[in-house]
Amino acid sequence: MVSRDRRITVVARSVRLVPVLLASALAATACGGGVHGTPGGSGVRDPYFPKAGNGGYDVTHYGLRLAYDPGAHHLTGTATLTARATQDLSAFDLDFLGMEVEKVTVGREAARWNRAGQELTVRPHDDIDRDETFRVTVRYSGAPETVTDPDGSREGWLRTADGALALGEPTGSMAWFPGNHHPSDKAAYDLTVTVPRGLRAVSNGELRGERTERGRTTFVWHCGEPMAGYLATLAIGRFDVGRSAAGDLPMYTAVDPAEAAASRPVLKRIPEVLRWAERRFGPYPFSSTGAIVDRAAEVGYALETQTRPVFPGAPDLTLLVHEFAHQWYGDSVTPESWRDMWLNEGFATYAEWLWEEDHGGRSAQETFDALYSGAHFDTEEAGEEIWEFPPADPPSAARISDPPVYWRGAMVLHKVRQAVGDDRFFSILKGWAAKYRYGNAGTADFTAFAERQAPGADLRPVWDEWLYGDGKPERV
Ligand code: TRP
Ligand code: ZN
């Protein structure tokens, strides 16, 4: 997407006003046939994270070669991104936080770069033409940082007792590799990670290789289906590894030995959860599955990292269902922007209700009623929290994962179900996952999709009162 924000104006103006810069810009492109490109934007206008992502190009593949030494807390990396220019580019940004950049090349030529906050601005030797596919390589090293989110939670690169854990929702992946770190730009990944012998490195997708040489072990991971950067993970440490299958799917689990005994009974149920989810949501979208259970002191949350969710300790079955439901809703169908979080969390929460309904527990209607009355919660305050803002419009970045997004987001889906009936509703759940498989979709896409699937139903009040409306809706 071509995005014009203040930063571009500043760059453009300084090029016009400062002759030295102009001269060097011309010199840099002299053999490339003149200046025709403009800088890509430093963000994609996300309403909550305006600097996340970058304009002017689309990444199709990340090739990451990393080496980490937990003792020294030192990471070295070479990131090779393959991208397609969506405009003529004289410069473009990558999101990258901390670390030290040693060298940047675009194609075969060394490129100039500079850094400001999370923006690594790359000025290639030659301008890049619109629609051209180009390769940018960034060599870097240093001590990767832990990031504090607007809501106070911790992500990015997290140290563990025996290694590290990389988590990226919403913006932490820029702490360990440079990229276009916004959910709207999805790409395939190949990740090669070298760690001291005795430790393992576990990531998304399939393990393609493992070799030990001179005291270090290298793991090669491949994730072929498009993945948003925030869903990339890397766990380094000692793990009990389980290799098995869920139906035809290869399954790889890596569990902190201290959590192994408690995790075993629930992880054994992954194949059953996937079978159920396929019946409800349609075909599983990825080529492998599994889980990572790892303890980082600062992390108390699970994350739906693609193909292989991360749990901060032995999960319970409900949390397992939640993170696996995200594989359809969030990972395969990914929000267009962080405003659309309810498409992730409302769906994953509703999946919990459906699991319960399908396994002899409360019906989704009963769960809905208990939420509406407040009986679901221990305290009155907790019951009131879910009405604080409409799920489709969190008031700030600090609140994109607050209770209204989860609970009331799920209630929106239940209201859709009431309005269209079970048959239509379940075909909407499946159809949504099918239509936007491997892509991105926003809230307006969902409302339009649901309306098209249920032409006779009046969904307006659901959107107006439950999805976009302030306060607790009148019961309808
Ligand atoms: N997406 C996670 C889940 O519900 C929760 C989470 C972890 C999260 N980190 C976050 C949500 C950051 C929003 C922002 O499974
Ligand atoms: Zn979730």
Side-chain angles (χ1 to χ4, degrees):
M1 195 200 328
V2 182
S3 128
R4 263 182 283 120
D5 60 14
R6 191 140 53 87
R7 190 188 153 78
I8 301 185
T9 323
V10 171
V11 172
R13 199 190 297 129
S14 64
V15 167
R16 233 181 294 121
L17 296 184
V18 184
V20 178
L21 260 183
L22 177 59
S24 61
L26 285 171
T29 52
C31 47
V35 178
H36 63 278
T38 53
S42 63
V44 292
R45 295 171 169 270
D46 188 275
Y48 299 90
F49 297 91
K51 287 184 285 186
N54 304 286
Y57 65 95
D58 221 316
V59 182
T60 52
H61 182 262
Y62 288 88
L64 307 176
R65 283 180 172 275
L66 308 178
Y68 184 65
D69 177 357
H73 179 44
H74 187 77
L75 178 71
T76 59
T78 303
T80 302
L81 284 61
T82 307
R84 189 182 56 83
T86 55
Q87 64 174 72
D88 292 338
L89 282 172
S90 60
F92 59 89
D93 278 14
L94 300 170
D95 301 308
F96 195 36
L97 197 67
M99 307 290 290
E100 195 174 317
V101 173
E102 288 159 4
K103 185 167 191 192
V104 180
T105 54
V106 177
R108 288 182 208 289
E109 305 270 10
R112 295 189 297 159
W113 79 90
N114 69 281
R115 304 189 71 185
Q118 70 179 55
E119 303 300 328
L120 165 60
T121 302
V122 176
R123 184 182 294 278
H125 182 271
D126 300 322
D127 280 15
I128 298 164
D129 295 332
R130 183 195 168 105
D131 288 330
E132 191 180 326
T133 293
F134 64 99
R135 203 163 272 177
V136 52
T137 300
V138 180
R139 217 174 65 200
Y140 57 96
S141 67
E145 292 175 12
T146 302
V147 175
T148 303
D149 293 335
D151 68 2
S153 61
R154 304 276 276 165
E155 54 152 338
W157 191 269
L158 302 140
R159 299 181 74 176
T160 62
D162 55 3
L165 176 62
L167 295 175
E169 189 177 30
T171 62
S173 43
M174 64 179 78
W176 58 287
F177 63 97
N180 200 19
H181 290 295
H182 186 266
S184 56
D185 191 353
K186 300 168 73 167
Y189 284 68
D190 284 283
L191 177 61
T192 300
V193 191
T194 300
V195 295
R197 165 187 218 145
L199 302 185
R200 309 189 67 83
V202 184
S203 186
N204 316 83
E206 293 87 61
L207 182 60
R208 286 265 176 97
E210 180 182 332
R211 59 175 186 275
T212 299
E213 267 167 23
R214 280 175 273 117
R216 303 199 305 168
T217 309
T218 298
F219 296 85
V220 182
W221 289 92
H222 170 74
C223 183
E225 294 92 11
M227 176 165 75
Y230 81 94
L231 297 167
T233 191
L234 173 59
I236 294 169
R238 290 179 211 285
F239 296 104
D240 279 9
V241 166
R243 293 164 190 264
S244 55
D248 294 337
L249 272 184
M251 175 154 118
Y252 186 103
T253 57
V255 181
D256 183 325
E259 298 292 327
S263 300
R264 203 165 291 122
V266 66
L267 296 185
K268 269 223 304 259
R269 300 187 70 177
I270 292 173
E272 174 193 352
V273 169
L274 287 174
R275 269 197 310 278
W276 168 82
E278 286 201 310
R279 195 157 55 72
R280 282 296 183 209
F281 312 141
Y284 178 73
F286 304 121
S287 304
S288 59
T289 186
I292 294 168
V293 181
D294 198 11
R295 299 193 299 185
E298 301 173 279
V299 176
Y301 59 82
L303 190 62
E304 63 269 26
T305 43
Q306 191 157 306
T307 68
R308 193 158 290 112
V310 169
F311 300 94
D316 65 22
L317 185 59
T318 304
L319 187 59
L320 194 77
V321 168
H322 181 106
E323 302 308 336
F324 279 84
H326 273 309
Q327 302 302 312
W328 283 257
Y329 307 110
D331 296 13
S332 172
V333 181
T334 303
E336 193 59 58
S337 91
W338 289 111
R339 178 175 278 150
D340 305 312
M341 261 305 264
W342 81 277
L343 291 172
N344 283 7
E345 303 306 344
F347 277 68
T349 302
Y350 200 72
E352 299 172 31
W353 305 3
L354 284 177
W355 172 273
E356 193 180 344
E357 174 173 297
D358 286 346
H359 294 83
R362 285 180 307 182
S363 67
Q365 181 67 50
E366 286 169 322
T367 304
F368 178 95
D369 290 340
L371 283 166
Y372 192 86
S373 71
H376 189 82
F377 299 97
D378 293 340
T379 65
E380 206 171 304
E381 297 82 73
E384 289 305 317
E385 270 181 349
I386 68 173
W387 312 114
E388 281 176 356
F389 59 82
D393 196 16
S396 70
R399 308 199 64 187
I400 59 168
S401 47
D402 273 11
V405 174
Y406 284 72
W407 299 110
R408 198 170 152 188
M411 293 176 95
V412 169
L413 293 176
H414 193 71
K415 294 306 292 182
V416 172
R417 182 176 175 183
Q418 287 179 340
V420 307
D422 278 11
D423 288 354
R424 283 248 167 86
F425 176 71
F426 287 113
S427 71
I428 287 171
L429 286 187
K430 276 191 179 157
W432 175 248
K435 173 159 186 186
Y436 292 98
R437 183 172 162 113
Y438 304 141
N440 293 90
T443 300
D445 296 317
F446 179 72
T447 56
F449 181 79
E451 281 170 4
R452 249 177 287 121
Q453 300 302 304
D458 183 13
L459 289 166
R460 258 300 21 121
V462 178
W463 314 143
D464 290 350
E465 291 160 37
W466 288 87
L467 184 55
Y468 293 110
D470 286 317
K472 184 174 179 174
E474 290 296 321
R475 188 164 217 162
V476 286

